[in-house]
Amino acid sequence: MIPIKNSIQADVAIVGGGIGGLMAAIAAADAGARDIVVLEKAHARRSGSGATGNDHFMCYIPEEHGDSIEPVLAQVLNRVPGMHKDPSLVRAMLEESFYLVRLWQSWGIDMRPYGEKWLFQGHALPGRMKPFLKYNGQNQKKILLREAAKRNIRVLNHHPVMELAAHNGHITGLLALDMGADEPAFTLVKSPAVLLATGVSHRLYSNAPTPAFMFNTAHCPNNAGGQALGWRAGAAMVNMELPYTHAGPKNFQRCGKATWIGVCRYPDGRPLGPFTDRSNVEYGDVTSDIWNTAFTDVLKNGSGPAYMDCSDASGEDLAHMRRAMKDEGLTALLSYMDEKNIDPARRGVEFMRYEPILHGRGLDVDINGETATKGLFAAGDMVGNGCPGIGFAAWLGWRGGKQAAKYGQTRDSLPDPAANDAILAKIDLLSSFHSRKKGAPWQEANFALQRIMDDYAAVGPHGIRSESLLNAGLAYLANLRAETESALMADCSHTLMRAAEVLDLMDCGEVLLHAARERKESRGAHVRSDYAFTNPLLADKLLTLRKIGPEIVVKWREKF
């Protein structure tokens, strides 16, 4: 049996040391929480999707946008990442975003790297409001970690969380895997308030450019930890049937498509979309934000491939683009392009659509980041009813951290999480993986899961779903889970962590399959052959699923 090496208590426990998690920790401390612990799978100095930088922060600044927030809100909600979200949640974020921009600036994160003026560029329709502030996020993680240290916040690096403890609908603590050595051990945390901030999830579907290399990802190579932890603890999930697909340079997965200053073009030079025919430093080419499937569509119909063409950009604009890519953390991409003499001024760069990910899909939260399970909060890209991205992660972490601090101060006595059934069951299961001398590695289970999702819950418009396919997927997934639990082997703390991630991904796959079966219509990337139409009665509703005991409770709710 893997031992419990350490048991601690905290007013607030935060799962994930990325942008959302560190902002939550800082806010909780400022709100009066005395004992805060952050549990991070990697190392908090360079972890999460903002590990090496970002250069777009969604916000509303009155002196730049004018007195009315409505035009900015409209632009955010009409983008693909902003669809199927709660408008009131996005509005609240925009209303408080300028405070966070100034706060980050005061801490030393350069929110005005191009002079005294706030600079808004990219991800916008020509002539419309631009919601994204250009900033330099290269050192944002280092600075946020420094602010956390000033507040005496404990950070346990190499401590991925395996399970949450809940009692009568209230959080009581969590179980983390101590990966400080090859031989695994557990850390038990007793806490009345837990905030999940594990970020975007990959590896549920096959990696689009390199199926055999699962960690070639546009974001941090996270898994479904936060979504699955919340699901098992009784939180509601939302928008899981509508996974998001990002786009960028072919084969070399990287975010930052709005940082490129160019035009998406067909091979014969025609613009892919109607929004621009020349490079534009202010707006970029918003085509792929509106026509999300463009780069796959042109391959399927034979008119492609599609290229990002920067050849008409001025030398000044290209220098600006290169600087912004460094701010975004794209130094590996820049180094590779320099090494291979790939000059975007002389040759187009082919773009592609990446695999479906759980980006802005996951836990259903209220305006303070609290889930349906009392004391359980969430922030960042693993929240399903708010916009993904750095600005929203910072805001909801900040807001959720303050609320978690208040909640943690109201509950005095808690049941011991060491006696919690879910905790004990997870210890037994992971110990069985580690004790086996023969068995299958975690990669086999992960690849098998991806085949099920690719075949039976494919993402449109080129992937089709149906009741019979989704039912088959659920049956195969149940078989895979049983086979995995009986045969998987993990010989060290690292492979044990990966094994637990695969189990979390299976939970998310199950939620997605159930949700896709319930959505009896076609909408966006969810295409049903047996329900080919889009039902207008569902336009202002969100589909949530919640596990209560052995039952899965499905509910349609109005957007708030």
Side-chain angles (χ1 to χ4, degrees), residues 10-27:
D11 293 338
V12 178
I14 294 167
V15 183
I19 300 297
L22 289 178
M23 286 296 288
I26 294 166

Side-chain angles (χ1 to χ4, degrees), residues 35 105 250 297 308 330 352 426 439 462 485 499 554:
D35 196 354
Q105 182 75 24
K250 187 159 189 177
D297 291 349
M308 174 61 71
L330 298 178
M352 70 174 292
K426 185 53 67 82
H462 309 290
E485 291 183 357
V554 177

Side-chain angles (χ1 to χ4, degrees), residues 76 78-84 244 288-292 361:
V76 172
N78 287 329
R79 297 176 62 245
V80 171
M83 295 178 182
H84 314 298
Y244 172 73
S288 62
D289 281 358
I290 306 301
W291 181 11
N292 185 249
R361 277 71 177 159

Side-chain angles (χ1 to χ4, degrees), residues 399-477:
R399 193 171 181 115
K402 290 189 290 185
Q403 197 68 18
K406 293 177 183 177
Y407 189 89
Q409 295 165 17
T410 62
R411 293 179 59 82
D412 298 322
S413 60
L414 294 172
D416 186 356
N420 180 269
D421 289 343
I423 297 289
L424 293 173
K426 185 53 67 82
I427 291 174
D428 285 344
L429 180 60
L430 296 182
S431 295
S432 72
F433 292 167
H434 185 56
S435 66
R436 288 190 185 117
K437 302 306 179 186
K438 294 182 180 180
W442 67 268
Q443 292 94 331
E444 290 188 15
N446 204 152
F447 282 130
L449 173 62
Q450 290 176 342
R451 291 308 310 154
I452 291 171
M453 300 306 295
D454 290 345
D455 289 344
Y456 303 103
V459 174
H462 309 290
I464 306 298
R465 298 169 175 176
S466 69
E467 180 110 12
S468 60
L469 287 173
L470 295 165
N471 284 337
L474 284 165
Y476 286 129
L477 181 54

Side-chain angles (χ1 to χ4, degrees), residues 369-382:
E370 189 168 14
T371 71
T373 300
K374 296 300 181 184
L376 181 62
F377 301 82
D381 290 342
M382 49 161 290

Side-chain angles (χ1 to χ4, degrees), residues 242-313:
L242 303 168
Y244 172 73
T245 52
H246 203 66
K250 187 159 189 177
N251 299 328
F252 200 139
Q253 284 213 37
R254 287 295 182 273
C255 290
K257 58 187 171 67
T259 305
W260 291 77
I261 301 173
V263 180
C264 296
R265 297 187 187 275
Y266 289 101
D268 62 6
R270 288 177 297 128
L272 205 61
F275 306 107
T276 184
D277 59 0
R278 294 193 59 79
S279 297
N280 187 304
V281 68
E282 280 193 68
Y283 295 97
D285 188 348
V286 77
T287 297
S288 62
D289 281 358
I290 306 301
W291 181 11
N292 185 249
T293 64
F295 303 115
T296 300
D297 291 349
V298 298
L299 292 178
K300 295 291 185 181
N301 65 27
S303 63
Y307 298 90
M308 174 61 71
D309 173 26
C310 306
S311 60
D312 67 341

Side-chain angles (χ1 to χ4, degrees), residues 334-382:
L334 287 170
S335 295
Y336 180 82
M337 292 173 69
D338 289 345
E339 179 186 337
K340 301 300 181 181
N341 196 29
I342 300 172
D343 182 357
R346 295 189 294 110
R347 57 188 292 183
V349 175
E350 185 178 352
F351 269 36
M352 70 174 292
R353 186 190 190 200
Y354 300 147
E355 70 275 5
I357 57 176
L358 300 179
H359 187 220
R361 277 71 177 159
L363 297 181
D364 194 22
V365 302
D366 67 12
I367 205 162
N368 291 312
E370 189 168 14
T371 71
T373 300
K374 296 300 181 184
L376 181 62
F377 301 82
D381 290 342
M382 49 161 290

Side-chain angles (χ1 to χ4, degrees), residues 19 31 44 106 110 112 119 161 185 190 195 199 205 216 234 247 283 308 350 354 382 461:
I19 300 297
S106 71
D110 194 356
R112 288 189 291 199
L119 181 64
V161 173
K190 186 177 183 180
L195 186 141
Y205 287 85
N216 175 21
Y283 295 97
M308 174 61 71
E350 185 178 352
Y354 300 147
M382 49 161 290

